[in-house]
Amino acid sequence: MGRIDEKTLKAQIKEESFSRAYFIFGDEDYLKELCTARLLKKLATGPLADFNLHRFDGKQCSLDDVLRDADLLPMMGGVNVVVCNDYPFDKSEKDCKAIKEYLADAPETTVLIFSYEAVSPDIKKSSRWKGVEAAFAKYGSSIQLNRKSQSELIKLIISACKKRGAEISTAAANYLISVSGNDIKALLSEANKLSAYSNGGEITREMIDSLAVKSLSARVYDLSNAVVRSRYDDAFKILDSLFATREDPSFILSAAANCFVDMYRVKCARTAGEAYQNITQYYSYGNRAFALDNAARDSRNLSVEQLRRCLDVIMKADNDLKSTSLDEKLVFEEMLVKLLIITKGA
């Protein structure tokens, strides 16, 4: 069947034209879970479905156990389905050889599914992963499910709202992504909630501000936004809320650094007489292209030198978090004070 995409997999399921084996990986967890669930819903059916379905945790089993069940005959003419999550083929050359030999002569009565959620197969840098994935593509199907583009996410949100009897504009859907992040499961949850609230009407930006759960990056953006606008009270309130919800300090600092790096890049582009949108030619922004619009607006009254000093402050905070026993919140409070002084022009 080869290397297939989500559309091809849907067609296989609809037509019940299954591969003998599937290798499901990528960085979009929701789609991986969804595709595996769809396969099992179609394959593991009938009164003896539980007897013909075998599940394994790749971190707790051996490949011999998996392949032993894969060789079983299904009961009552069904399909023998074997699912193994997160098996670490990169740890053993012997296992890599064994799975390749099995796939070359896999029984027609079995569908073997290797799905990866907590483990990320690196098929570009690891020869073992590359070889295993290639074997699945040769004798079965390999499907890589990565995060969708901004335009694809917008279409998904608009479609989800429409199915629930609500309407949302492209601009509002784009804003929802900037607020709640690009995780499909989270976005569909927010679309469902907003559709119910709109009661068949149009979902507005005001509704999103009132109801949508903000991602960590969105909340840290609010923090940086408060800093560059010299809103001292707001900045410290947001910091308090981040620590109250026990967000990882390193994640907070990383998100804050991203905000100021975006502003620095935009300012440098403008200083050089370039359109800031051209930055995407040199840096991979993917679904974060909207961040450049935010950065252009927020950096309007800041100089390149001020932004350099801000990045120095953030770097010092990062070093303090990693190399000292100072209270983490104290490190952030000191960083905020310095950033506020710099952005105010003092």
Side-chain angles (χ1 to χ4, degrees):
M1 295 287 185
R3 293 181 176 89
I4 64 174
D5 56 17
E6 185 184 359
K7 184 178 179 181
T8 304
L9 180 62
K10 286 181 180 178
Q12 285 187 9
I13 295 171
K14 182 179 180 180
E15 298 166 5
E16 298 188 16
S17 176
F18 300 105
S19 298
R20 295 273 65 84
Y22 290 92
F23 189 81
I24 302 174
F25 68 113
D27 58 23
E28 181 46 73
D29 293 338
Y30 173 76
L31 290 179
K32 290 184 292 185
E33 292 173 13
L34 182 64
C35 287
T36 302
R38 283 175 172 169
L39 280 168
L40 295 184
K41 184 178 180 180
K42 201 73 171 182
L43 288 165
T45 60
L48 296 177
D50 289 342
F51 291 96
N52 291 332
L53 175 61
H54 312 274
R55 293 180 180 271
F56 292 91
D57 180 347
K59 299 185 290 295
Q60 304 293 331
C61 69
S62 69
L63 185 63
D64 288 340
D65 294 334
V66 178
L67 298 185
R68 187 179 300 113
D69 278 10
D71 280 332
L72 294 175
L73 289 172
M75 298 183 68
M76 300 298 288
V79 178
N80 184 41
V81 184
V82 180
V83 184
C84 184
N85 291 321
D86 297 326
Y87 194 84
F89 281 108
D90 58 325
K91 304 298 182 184
S92 169
E93 185 62 40
K94 178 183 176 182
D95 285 346
C96 294
K97 181 180 179 181
I99 192 64
K100 293 173 187 176
E101 291 175 351
Y102 169 85
L103 291 171
D105 192 29
E108 294 184 359
T109 53
T110 293
V111 173
L112 178 64
I113 302 171
F114 275 81
S115 180
Y116 289 87
E117 297 170 12
V119 174
S120 299
D122 190 345
I123 62 173
K124 291 184 178 180
K125 296 181 179 179
S126 169
S127 59
R128 289 177 178 174
W129 279 124
K130 184 177 181 179
V132 169
E133 188 274 338
F136 273 89
K138 181 177 181 179
Y139 299 110
S141 290
S142 171
I143 177 168
Q144 184 172 9
L145 297 165
N146 289 331
R147 294 194 183 278
K148 291 186 175 292
S149 67
Q150 188 84 358
S151 59
E152 289 173 323
L153 289 176
I154 289 172
K155 290 178 182 177
L156 187 69
I157 294 168
I158 292 174
S159 175
C161 293
K162 187 176 181 180
K163 288 177 181 178
R164 292 164 178 79
E167 293 184 7
I168 186 169
S169 67
T170 298
N174 187 56
Y175 181 63
L176 177 59
I177 296 168
S178 73
V179 168
S180 297
N182 59 7
D183 181 81
I184 293 180
K185 185 181 289 187
L187 287 173
L188 290 178
S189 176
E190 295 303 323
N192 187 34
K193 178 173 61 180
L194 290 163
S195 297
Y197 181 81
S198 71
N199 196 26
E202 182 176 359
I203 296 170
T204 64
R205 182 169 177 144
E206 289 72 26
M207 291 180 188
I208 295 172
D209 284 334
S210 299
L211 298 174
V213 176
K214 289 191 172 184
S215 65
L216 173 61
S217 60
R219 285 186 288 156
V220 175
Y221 167 73
D222 288 343
L223 177 64
S224 69
N225 185 264
V227 168
V228 298
R229 282 167 172 69
S230 298
R231 300 200 309 265
Y232 304 94
D233 291 342
D234 289 345
F236 282 98
K237 283 179 182 177
I238 295 169
L239 180 64
D240 287 342
S241 71
L242 289 168
F243 271 85
T245 53
R246 303 192 178 209
E247 298 287 357
D248 188 320
S250 63
F251 290 167
I252 299 174
L253 195 61
S254 176
N258 283 339
C259 291
F260 279 88
V261 166
D262 291 340
M263 286 189 279
Y264 179 73
R265 288 172 176 169
V266 165
K267 202 69 181 182
C268 287
R270 283 181 160 172
T271 302
E274 293 283 340
Y276 69 83
Q277 292 88 347
N278 293 340
I279 292 172
T280 56
Q281 298 177 22
Y282 308 101
Y283 302 98
S284 177
Y285 272 81
N287 293 330
R288 289 188 63 251
F290 64 84
L292 294 178
D293 295 329
N294 294 338
R297 182 178 59 250
D298 295 340
S299 63
R300 187 175 295 115
N301 297 319
L302 297 174
S303 67
V304 170
E305 179 57 30
Q306 283 175 300
L307 290 167
R308 281 182 184 146
R309 290 169 60 197
C310 287
L311 290 172
D312 287 340
V313 168
I314 294 172
M315 185 178 294
K316 182 181 182 303
D318 182 54
N319 289 333
D320 288 343
L321 283 177
K322 294 175 179 175
S323 60
T324 71
S325 58
L326 290 174
D327 178 80
E328 292 173 336
K329 191 176 181 185
L330 183 62
V331 172
F332 274 88
E333 288 174 345
E334 181 183 354
M335 179 187 77
L336 273 191
V337 170
K338 291 179 178 178
L339 291 175
L340 285 163
I341 291 172
I342 292 169
T343 55
K344 192 175 181 180

